[in-house]
Each structure stands twice: as structure tokens, then as C-alpha cells.
Amino acid sequence: MLIEYGAAAVIGYLLGSVPFSALVARAHGVDLHQTSDGNPGAWNALEQLGARRAWPAFAGDGLKGTLAGFAGLGLAGTWGAYVAVGAAMLGHAFPLFARFRGGKAVMTFVGGGFAFAPAAAAIALGVCVLTALAARSFAVGARVGVFSFPLIQLFLDPAIRVAATGALMTLIGLLFFLKGDRSARASSGSAATPTS
């Protein structure tokens, strides 16, 4: 079984390492590492490109989590899916194919949820859409959808799996801390040349 988990982790990491958002932005002449907080993820792509041009970034970052999760599911069941999605999130944050300069893995986690907890993920997506429409803000809807996901899962899956989802969300929090701290240091070091 260790071989299957190891294979799930490797596949997940390699899928996560594909820098979809950075590639989408580059196709439009934008280097995400040089904009805003320097995060080469879907949210920064949205800020720089607008929704019409950034949607492939969201789709790509989410899809690599979904594909990783289903690969892990096929190899080692539900726990294999969790391993693969966690590895994909690490791949997104520290991508092999982009000099280990990646994003914060939110969309990769969201996509992975459709593999390890599809019913909860589908309901959370509905919550996201309804909240976004009510608040007239995709950002608000997305946050509510993500944070409601483990609460919804509590009613559908065993507690141990909800705890595993919580562990993946904790990884996101850690990445926000690490990446945010790095961004703060970078901005303080370049205070003489402010950027928009």
C-alpha cells in the first residue's frame, strides 16, 4: 500500500507543479511574479487579467487538484485521494516546473474536493454561486464556499475525513503565512519603487 500512496503523492505533486495561472497570464503578456503580491495563482490572474481572460487559470488550477485526487482515488482509495491532493497543493506552492515559485493552492484544494468529497464539494459550489449572486461579489462567494465545505462535509462524511479536509485547509493557512511573509519582505525591500 505504501507504493500506491507514494505513486499518488508523486502524481499529485507533478500535476500540481504545472503553473496554469502563470502560463495563462504569460499568454496575455503578464508576469504574475512581477505583479501585486507576486503570487502566480488564479486570484492574482483574476486581478491582472479580468474574469473573461482569467477563467482558464481558475479551471486549470482546480483541474489539477481534481485529476490528482482521482488518480489517488484509483490507486489507494479515499485516503490516496487526500494524499494526492495534498501533494498537488504542495506542487502548486513549490512547483518543480517553475523554479519552486508557486501560489497558495486554494483552487487546487477546491478542485481536489470533487475527488475526495464530491457531494460536499458540489453543495459548497452551490453555496459559492448563491452567495456570489446575493453579494454581487465572486470573492465573497468563493470564501463562503471554501469555508462552508468542511461544515457541509460534517453531515455527509465520517469525522476522520472532515479532519483530513481540515488538515488540507491548515496547509492553505500555512502557505498564506509563508507566502504573505515573503511578499511583505519583498515589498519592504523595494519600498523606493512602489508598484500598483
Side-chain angles (χ1 to χ4, degrees):
M1 201 64 174
L2 284 177
I3 294 174
E4 287 85 351
Y5 283 124
V10 170
I11 292 169
Y13 177 77
L14 291 175
L15 283 168
S17 286
V18 180
F20 279 106
S21 292
L23 293 172
V24 169
R26 190 179 304 161
H28 294 286
V30 176
D31 181 356
L32 293 180
H33 290 105
Q34 303 301 321
T35 60
S36 186
D37 64 354
N39 173 29
W43 288 103
N44 196 13
L46 177 64
E47 289 179 4
Q48 306 308 318
L49 304 176
R52 185 177 59 83
R53 296 192 298 174
W55 74 262
F58 277 85
D61 281 356
L63 184 60
K64 62 189 182 183
T66 306
L67 292 175
F70 279 119
L73 195 65
L75 286 165
T78 300
W79 294 113
Y82 274 100
V83 168
V85 172
M89 291 168 65
L90 289 173
H92 179 84
F94 307 103
L96 178 65
F97 308 129
R99 294 178 293 175
F100 303 103
R101 298 169 63 200
K104 297 166 184 168
V106 176
M107 285 307 301
T108 304
F109 164 78
V110 169
F114 286 92
F116 61 73
I123 295 170
L125 177 61
V127 170
C128 167
V129 171
L130 291 174
T131 304
L133 291 173
R136 296 183 180 180
S137 169
F138 175 66
V140 171
R143 288 185 180 98
V144 171
V146 169
F147 285 111
S148 70
F149 176 60
L151 300 176
I152 295 165
Q153 194 184 6
L154 273 172
F155 295 96
L156 300 171
D157 295 327
I160 187 71
R161 287 174 54 186
V162 181
T165 298
L168 293 181
M169 293 183 77
T170 300
L171 175 59
I172 293 173
L174 181 61
L175 291 172
F176 265 86
F177 174 77
L178 293 173
K179 303 285 184 177
D181 185 55
R182 185 178 68 183
S183 298
R185 286 197 301 270
S187 61
S188 66
S190 59
T193 56
T195 58
S196 59

